[in-house]
Amino acid sequence: MAAETSSSSLQLPCVFSPQSRQYLALCAQDGRLRIWNTDSKTLHQEYVPSAHLSATCICIAWGPCRTVKEGPQRKKRKSEVVLGEEKADLLAMGTAAGSVLIYSTVKGVLHCTLDGGHSGGVNCVQWHPKDSLLYSGSDDTYIIEWDLQTGKARSKWKADRAAVTSLCVSPDGKLLLSAGHIIKMWDLDTKEVYRKFTGHSTAVTTLRFATTRPPDSNGLYFLSGAAHDRLLSVWQVREDGKDKNSVVSFTLTDEPQHIDLVASNNKEEAVRLAVVCKDGQLHLFEHFLNGPCKKPLSPMCSVQMSDTKDSPVPIPMLAAALAAGTRAVLLGYGTHLQPVMEKLEINTAERHVCLTRDVQTSMSISLETAVSKVKTPFVGDKSRVLAPGLPGHQAPVKGTTQGSEKRKKGTETREMSIAERLGEIDLSAVSTEKGAPKGTATLQTDNFAVLLLQGLESNDADILNKVFQTRKEMVIKKTVARLPLPAILPLMEVITKRLQGHPIAATLMVRWLRAVLMHHTSYLASLPDLVTQLGVLYHMIESRVKTFNKLTKLNGKLYLLATQVARSDCSSSADVDHKAKLVYEEESSDDEASGDEGLPDNDSDNWEEEEAMEEDKDPDSKGDSKANGEEDMERGNESEEDFLGRRHRQHVPSVTHICPSAPLVPVPGLSFTSG
């Protein structure tokens, strides 16, 4: 298996040797390589690289089996000459410093070091099945072909814009698969792209060829797995080039950590697949690859392992290997420091199998204090050291006096319980002493993702209320995006409970529910029992949506009524001014003046008295009026138009209450007479 891990994930590489499965190679976090013998179940070799702390091992891959001489031996007779047995010898290790270490398990020494090629950490290494060639992919987006005979790079080319996280060589040694997010197939003779595939949304961590058929027969298949992805995708290499999308998918309970398969040689032979997930479960698949399959395939059998205590604790599985001829499975489980290897046959007729084993997970190391060379440093009374855990935890260390007596060999020492240790942790915020450094670190409780995770694990209502009271959309989105995948289902359960409570709390929970569905829909869709886990939420939403149509109709009717009432109120409150904007007064005769008594005069209010005084002052005016009357009688034969024109020229009208924008309004009772 090539490139079991990448720099984006924290899983440690763990690989069985090819063919005989005699050895199990593991790399610990400190960079040490340990090789265990699966037959004797003991530690076979341990190798500590010179830069194991600064250049930790990221990926490992076994080379093809070969015949190796194990050193000087006595000369054998002709009758004793036997053909050399092929053994798994070379082991390639990619480091974070960009170098590749080649270790020989037969000789127990470092074979060679391949450096100077990559400028970033090596994420994956893959051996050529026939030639002494090695391929490596790195964060610097390049692929290098190494020649192990010379120890130098044979060729180097840019593979992708992003980091190369996985590699795989075809069984015939002519094609090479590389992947970051997009999967590319290269022709090793020309170093050109042969095919491109869609790939995954996250970094691809596993690439394996599932068949040994040539690509020109539409029978070449390979599978891929990615980080944080619960599906294994199978891709078909077609002659017409219409092969960008996957044809088959296998469902898992968590992201794949270790994959082993028995390839198919023809259409009548099924592919057998063993997948160890990050949650420690083993899934077995068996499928005939003959074209696309619409529905994702469930595992034929799922295997879990637990201890024999009263309250069972699951035991994580590290790796699994399938035997080519039999149905036996070689398992590696436990811890990376002390794994347990076991070969057994699993009854695949049952969908779920739980194995119980008595495994001692803790290693007890007893040291006599009289012989121990470890010295305890003398610490002052005012000294403080940081305890492991969250930043800001301060644990006081009691100083030891030089005159303390040595512990005797037979004295009993009582270890402090966890409660006592937690009680001695000093969570003081800021030191008040003079000379103390400013800004002493305190508990980082402002991180909503950490608070929410703590609240979900402890089921603390106060912490959950503090987190859920936020109304900022950006804070909610970032908090949900930073949550680990195992915390999504507990969060959905809490959201479902709070949605059924007070309406104000339900409005806040809708924002969190929307953020969860936006960021983790692919994770929720990959859960096999999603309907049972989120059934309450689904029925609650469905029951509330049923009344939405009726409420919408009622809202529309109420809106129409409210608008009509508002318009009627506005029309009734508006006052209409019935007063005339213009009055036209005609001073034609005495009869007409008698009809205009109701009209006001701008000059004076006592107009009758003023008219009488004017008559007394001018007696001759009466005679003039009579003369004018006689003239009018004489001209009785004139036409009406001439009469009106003449009368208009003789008498000048007086206009009051003039408004320039208002039309002329005739005065009621105004008429023209010839007398």
Side-chain angles (χ1 to χ4, degrees):
M1 179 179 178
E4 290 294 332
T5 61
S6 65
S7 59
S8 61
S9 59
L10 298 177
Q11 60 191 25
L12 299 175
C14 176
V15 189
F16 281 104
S17 61
Q19 294 184 4
S20 63
R21 314 290 187 180
Q22 185 180 0
Y23 300 110
L24 175 65
L26 301 96
C27 272
Q29 293 180 350
D30 57 357
R32 297 173 181 264
L33 173 65
R34 294 181 176 90
I35 300 175
W36 296 80
N37 192 326
T38 58
D39 296 333
S40 60
K41 298 179 178 57
T42 56
L43 181 62
H44 179 62
Q45 290 178 7
E46 182 176 3
Y47 173 69
V48 183
S50 59
H52 64 97
L53 295 179
S54 60
T56 57
C57 178
I58 298 177
C59 56
I60 56 178
W62 286 94
C65 296
R66 63 172 188 166
T67 305
V68 183
K69 296 181 180 179
E70 299 183 3
Q73 296 179 354
R74 67 177 182 86
K75 189 175 181 180
K76 297 183 180 180
R77 300 176 183 177
K78 293 183 179 180
S79 59
E80 296 178 354
V81 175
V82 184
L83 294 176
E85 182 183 0
E86 291 186 348
K87 295 182 180 180
D89 178 26
L90 299 181
L91 187 66
M93 298 182 293
T95 63
S99 60
V100 180
L101 306 179
I102 308 298
Y103 179 77
S104 176
T105 58
V106 175
K107 298 179 180 179
V109 294
L110 186 65
H111 181 72
C112 64
T113 302
L114 308 176
D115 53 2
H118 292 293
S119 59
V122 178
N123 297 324
C124 49
V125 288
Q126 178 66 38
W127 292 83
H128 194 279
K130 299 178 182 179
D131 302 332
S132 58
L133 300 176
L134 180 71
Y135 299 91
S136 60
S138 172
D139 288 334
D140 59 3
T141 69
Y142 281 92
I143 299 175
I144 296 181
E145 183 182 48
W146 301 91
D147 189 353
L148 295 183
Q149 294 181 356
T150 60
K152 297 181 180 180
R154 190 174 177 180
S155 61
K156 179 179 179 180
W157 69 95
K158 187 176 180 62
D160 203 346
R161 296 180 181 178
V164 181
T165 56
S166 185
L167 293 173
C168 185
V169 182
S170 61
D172 56 359
K174 296 181 180 179
L175 300 174
L176 174 67
L177 288 172
S178 69
H181 294 282
I182 301 175
I183 303 175
K184 294 182 180 180
M185 181 176 286
W186 303 85
D187 188 351
L188 289 179
D189 295 334
T190 60
K191 304 298 187 296
E192 295 180 355
V193 178
Y194 180 71
R195 287 282 194 279
K196 281 187 180 181
F197 303 90
T198 306
H200 298 261
S201 59
T202 56
V204 178
T205 57
T206 302
L207 287 173
R208 296 295 301 271
F209 277 95
T211 59
T212 58
R213 287 166 268 177
D216 54 357
S217 62
N218 289 340
L220 184 61
Y221 294 84
F222 69 92
L223 60 89
S224 63
H228 310 297
D229 195 347
R230 298 192 172 197
L231 289 176
L232 278 180
S233 301
V234 180
W235 313 80
Q236 183 182 11
V237 183
R238 299 168 55 95
E239 286 183 315
D240 52 7
K242 299 179 180 180
D243 46 14
K244 293 184 179 181
N245 298 324
S246 61
V247 294
V248 182
S249 298
F250 298 105
T251 58
L252 305 173
T253 56
D254 207 337
E255 63 176 279
Q257 185 173 355
H258 184 278
I259 295 178
D260 188 64
L261 59 85
V262 177
S264 171
N265 298 321
N266 49 59
K267 295 182 179 180
E268 288 75 19
E269 185 178 358
V271 176
R272 296 172 54 203
L273 186 64
V275 183
V276 176
C277 296
K278 192 175 181 180
D279 58 358
Q281 297 188 39
L282 170 65
H283 301 287
L284 301 177
F285 297 90
E286 189 170 349
H287 181 67
F288 290 92
L289 295 176
N290 191 12
C293 183
K294 295 183 179 179
K295 294 183 179 180
L297 301 178
S298 301
M300 179 177 58
C301 180
S302 298
V303 182
Q304 289 180 309
M305 190 168 290
S306 64
D307 55 12
T308 57
K309 296 180 180 180
D310 296 335
S311 56
V313 177
I315 300 173
M317 294 191 186
L318 304 177
L322 297 172
T326 62
R327 293 288 178 175
V329 180
L330 180 60
L331 300 178
Y333 54 89
T335 62
H336 283 77
L337 294 177
Q338 194 175 9
V340 180
M341 285 72 68
E342 182 180 355
K343 190 174 183 179
L344 50 86
E345 291 188 3
I346 299 175
N347 184 14
T348 56
E350 299 180 5
R351 295 293 301 273
H352 299 279
V353 177
C354 183
L355 305 176
T356 56
R357 296 292 185 271
D358 186 7
V359 180
Q360 185 179 1
T361 57
S362 61
M363 298 177 61
S364 60
I365 302 176
S366 60
L367 294 176
E368 295 182 358
T369 56
V371 189
S372 176
K373 296 182 179 180
V374 178
K375 294 183 179 180
T376 304
F378 298 102
V379 184
D381 296 335
K382 297 182 181 180
S383 301
R384 294 179 183 272
V385 296
L386 293 177
L390 291 175
H393 285 203
Q394 297 178 351
V397 178
K398 298 179 180 180
T400 57
T401 59
Q402 296 182 1
S404 60
E405 298 181 356
K406 295 182 179 180
R407 290 179 294 176
K408 297 182 181 180
K409 186 176 181 179
T411 56
E412 296 181 357
T413 58
R414 185 181 68 86
E415 292 186 357
M416 297 176 61
S417 62
I418 296 178
E420 294 174 353
R421 294 179 182 178
L422 292 176
E424 290 192 359
I425 294 179
D426 186 11
L427 299 179
S428 58
V430 180
S431 178
T432 57
E433 298 179 2
K434 295 182 179 180
K438 296 183 179 180
T440 306
T442 58
L443 284 177
Q444 297 178 351
T445 56
D446 55 346
N447 193 335
F448 278 90
V450 176
L451 282 178
L452 181 57
L453 189 60
Q454 292 177 356
L456 293 175
E457 291 178 354
S458 61
N459 199 14
D460 192 341
D462 296 335
I463 298 178
L464 294 177
N465 291 334
K466 181 179 179 181
V467 176
F468 288 143
Q469 284 176 358
T470 180
R471 297 176 180 270
K472 298 180 180 179
E473 294 289 342
M474 188 59 64
V475 175
I476 295 174
K477 291 180 180 179
K478 290 183 178 180
T479 303
V480 173
R482 292 174 182 173
L483 285 179
L485 293 180
I488 301 303
L489 278 181
L491 176 61
M492 293 293 291
E493 294 177 359
V494 173
I495 291 175
T496 304
K497 292 180 181 179
R498 290 175 177 259
L499 281 174
Q500 299 173 354
H502 199 274
I504 297 178
T507 55
L508 296 176
M509 289 299 101
V510 169
R511 302 181 180 182
W512 288 90
L513 179 61
R514 181 169 62 247
V516 172
L517 295 178
M518 287 175 61
H519 287 85
H520 301 285
T521 304
S522 59
Y523 165 73
L524 294 174
S526 63
L527 296 176
D529 52 349
L530 178 64
V531 178
T532 58
Q533 293 179 349
L534 301 182
V536 178
L537 177 63
Y538 175 76
H539 290 298
M540 181 183 62
I541 294 176
E542 187 178 7
S543 62
R544 295 189 180 185
V545 169
K546 284 182 178 179
T547 60
F548 181 74
N549 190 17
K550 297 180 181 178
L551 292 175
T552 305
K553 292 181 179 179
L554 179 61
N555 185 25
K557 293 179 180 179
L558 292 176
Y559 178 75
L560 291 176
L561 291 175
T563 51
Q564 291 178 2
V565 170
R567 288 182 179 179
S568 62
D569 293 342
C570 293
S571 61
S572 62
S573 61
D575 297 333
V576 180
D577 189 7
H578 297 283
K579 188 176 180 180
K581 299 296 181 181
L582 178 67
V583 177
Y584 180 81
E585 182 180 357
E586 177 70 25
E587 297 178 358
S588 59
S589 62
D590 296 339
D591 297 337
E592 295 171 0
S594 62
D596 298 337
E597 294 177 355
L599 296 176
D601 190 2
N602 292 335
D603 297 334
S604 174
D605 295 337
N606 302 324
W607 57 276
E608 295 179 353
E609 296 177 0
E610 292 177 357
E611 186 177 358
M613 292 175 65
E614 289 178 356
E615 291 179 355
D616 296 338
K617 291 180 180 180
D618 193 3
D620 297 334
S621 60
K622 296 181 179 180
D624 295 337
S625 62
K626 292 180 179 179
N628 293 333
E630 293 176 357
E631 292 178 358
D632 295 336
M633 292 294 293
E634 292 176 356
R635 298 172 182 174
N637 297 327
E638 295 179 354
S639 63
E640 186 177 356
E641 294 179 357
D642 296 338
F643 173 76
L644 289 176
R646 183 171 54 83
R647 294 291 297 176
H648 180 70
R649 287 190 299 270
Q650 291 178 358
H651 301 278
V652 179
S654 61
V655 181
T656 61
H657 305 286
I658 298 176
C659 181
S661 62
L664 295 176
V665 179
V667 179
L670 180 66
S671 61
F672 299 94
T673 59
S674 59

